[in-house]
Amino acid sequence: MTENDLEQACIDWFRALDWEYAHGETISPGGFSPERGHYNEVVLAPRLRSALERLNLGINASVLDDAEKKVRQFAGQSLVEANRDLYVWLRDGIPVEVEEDGHRRQINVMVFDWTDPTRNDWLIVNQFTVKGSKTVRPDMVAFVNGLPLAVIELKNPADEKADVYAAFNQIGNYKNEIPQLFEPNVVCVISDGTVARMGVDFRRLRAFHALARRQWY
């Protein structure tokens, strides 16, 4: 088994769970079906917008514009703080101020349907190029409603030096080189085809496991 074989096996597992599949270059700028304008963007805007409209019926389009903008332009003081703060938005809804009858109040625009998983958009992407301080290409990224919630790094099972420890170090490099990919992140997975490891805040994983109602991790 090669790394490519392992990657294809992972894709097949996701597809068996009814996830949609796309190659990274297909949905990237200049691709056959682009879903982002620049390589430094990690949110698939058309899918996010579609989810916001689908899950927040009756909310004004300008409010959805504000919610979408807050997520796409989100940046925290640090990666840890950004990940923590954005998670609250993803769990409880994006806080947006609205004005009604001369009074301003805050509403939460929902990002996921927590009761009916079939109303969410599930997409697994391989070879997803992201530009940060360097341009790198994680092996696989799992998106829900256009947001990258999982990063999966695979290594060649036939290469003794390319083990899960190398994959772990690579994930660490990615966090420094393309931190924007990890702001919405819920789980990181590494595997060399024999050994697999998962890094996660289990409170978050439990929440999204309830959302998925399937063991996709």
Side-chain angles (χ1 to χ4, degrees):
M1 177 180 284
T2 66
E3 183 176 334
N4 185 66
D5 294 331
L6 180 57
E7 187 175 292
Q8 187 57 54
C10 288
I11 293 170
D12 292 342
W13 293 331
F14 274 95
R15 296 183 76 167
L17 292 171
D18 295 327
W19 286 61
E20 183 183 351
Y21 161 71
H23 191 280
E25 289 308 302
T26 300
I27 61 173
S28 289
F32 181 76
S33 183
E35 297 195 33
R36 53 184 179 144
H38 305 279
Y39 278 104
N40 61 358
E41 297 176 356
V42 297
V43 175
L44 305 182
R47 293 175 188 267
L48 173 61
R49 181 59 184 226
S50 177
L52 295 180
E53 293 175 351
R54 183 172 63 253
L55 303 179
N56 298 277
L57 298 177
I59 293 183
N60 190 285
S62 64
V63 176
L64 299 184
D65 289 342
D66 290 343
E68 180 184 351
K69 183 178 180 180
K70 289 186 74 170
V71 171
R72 294 180 62 186
Q73 297 183 357
F74 183 84
Q77 295 275 339
S78 68
L79 178 55
V80 171
E81 291 182 1
N83 181 258
R84 179 195 60 206
D85 295 344
L86 188 53
Y87 167 71
V88 175
W89 289 7
L90 302 186
R91 183 192 64 197
D92 300 336
I94 306 164
V96 179
E97 282 196 351
V98 298
E99 185 170 342
E100 296 178 347
D101 301 324
H103 300 282
R104 298 192 67 82
R105 66 183 182 92
Q106 179 179 292
I107 65 171
N108 289 347
V109 176
M110 299 308 298
V111 184
F112 305 110
D113 189 319
W114 293 96
T115 58
D116 184 358
T118 63
R119 298 185 69 209
N120 298 302
D121 179 283
W122 308 86
L123 175 71
I124 186 67
V125 178
N126 65 324
Q127 303 302 313
F128 186 72
T129 302
V130 182
K131 184 176 182 180
S133 61
K134 292 184 178 179
T135 299
V136 296
R137 185 180 295 173
D139 289 329
M140 304 184 70
V141 180
F143 293 84
V144 182
N145 292 349
L147 296 169
L149 300 188
V151 177
I152 304 171
E153 190 64 25
L154 307 173
K155 289 301 177 185
N156 186 351
D159 187 343
E160 292 182 358
K161 296 181 179 179
D163 54 15
V164 289
Y165 299 103
F168 174 81
N169 291 332
Q170 197 152 0
I171 289 286
N173 291 336
Y174 289 162
K175 290 179 181 179
N176 293 323
E177 296 161 354
I178 49 170
Q180 68 269 38
L181 183 63
F182 294 89
E183 289 176 345
N185 182 263
V186 175
V187 59
C188 293
V189 178
I190 56 178
S191 178
D192 61 5
T194 302
V195 178
R197 294 289 184 267
M198 175 179 68
V200 67
D201 180 327
F202 278 96
R203 291 170 298 178
R204 302 179 188 188
L205 188 59
R206 279 197 296 268
F208 282 93
H209 175 61
L211 168 66
R213 293 180 182 173
R214 63 193 76 177
Q215 290 185 345
W216 59 269
Y217 52 90

